[in-house]
Structure formats: C-alpha cells, structure tokens
Amino acid sequence: LATALNNAAFFAKQDGDELRARALYTEAITLREMAFGPKHPQTIAAMHNLAELHHAFSRDAEAEAVRHDILDRLGVDVDSALASAGAAAPGPGARELNG
C-alpha cells in the first residue's frame, strides 16, 4: 500500500497537485515507519521524495527540514557534516557535477 501511495504522490506532483502529493507522501512515510522503522531505506526514500516535492514547489525551508530529519535518523551530525563540506568545498573555477 505504501508503494502505491508513493507512486500516486509522484503522479500528483507531476500534475502540479502539491497538496495531494504531500498528503500521499506523508501517508506513505507513516506506513513505512510503522512497517519497517524510521531508518529503513524505504522510509528514507519516501522522505526524500517528500523533500523533493517541497523543493519542486519552492518550499526550500520545508525541504531542508525533511533532509535534516533524514540525516538525524541516519545518525549524521548535520553541523559537523556541513563544516566538513565547507572545509572541502572546491575552489574557484570548479565545476558542479549535478548543476
């Protein structure tokens, strides 16, 4: 059922129905948390899809919050990761890989 909800959310997103997509992704996340737990790859994937939905509709703060929740669930210290990424940031003229 969670997979069907996740797929329906994808199509709702493609149709521009943000509210329906958000509701469907949220329900899929809830079901996957109950079935598999909060750290399971399927739960994390559904959360990632929700973050991408927020990003697609220019809700960057919400997308960031979901991404932080994912990292917290996976035991990643967000502040340390960001500090490390900043220290390892490419210099001027470096190309981005994913635009």
Side-chain angles (χ1 to χ4, degrees):
L1 179 59
T3 299
L5 291 169
N6 193 71
N7 291 343
F10 172 81
F11 288 113
K13 174 185 169 188
Q14 295 302 315
D15 289 341
D17 191 346
E18 177 188 7
L19 295 177
R20 179 161 170 70
R22 185 181 337 160
L24 291 166
Y25 278 136
T26 300
E27 190 171 351
I29 291 165
T30 300
L31 290 174
R32 286 178 174 179
E33 284 176 330
M34 291 181 348
F36 305 119
K39 296 180 182 181
H40 191 276
Q42 287 189 23
T43 303
I44 298 301
M47 292 177 70
H48 169 76
N49 292 340
L50 178 61
E52 289 299 310
L53 170 72
H54 289 313
H55 178 74
F57 286 92
S58 299
R59 299 191 183 282
D60 295 330
E62 290 94 334
E64 183 85 5
V66 174
R67 290 181 180 124
H68 277 245
D69 188 9
I70 291 169
L71 293 173
D72 286 342
R73 289 173 186 230
L74 297 176
V76 175
D77 181 351
V78 176
D79 293 329
S80 294
L82 290 174
S84 295
R95 296 187 315 157
E96 290 187 27
L97 295 178
N98 293 319

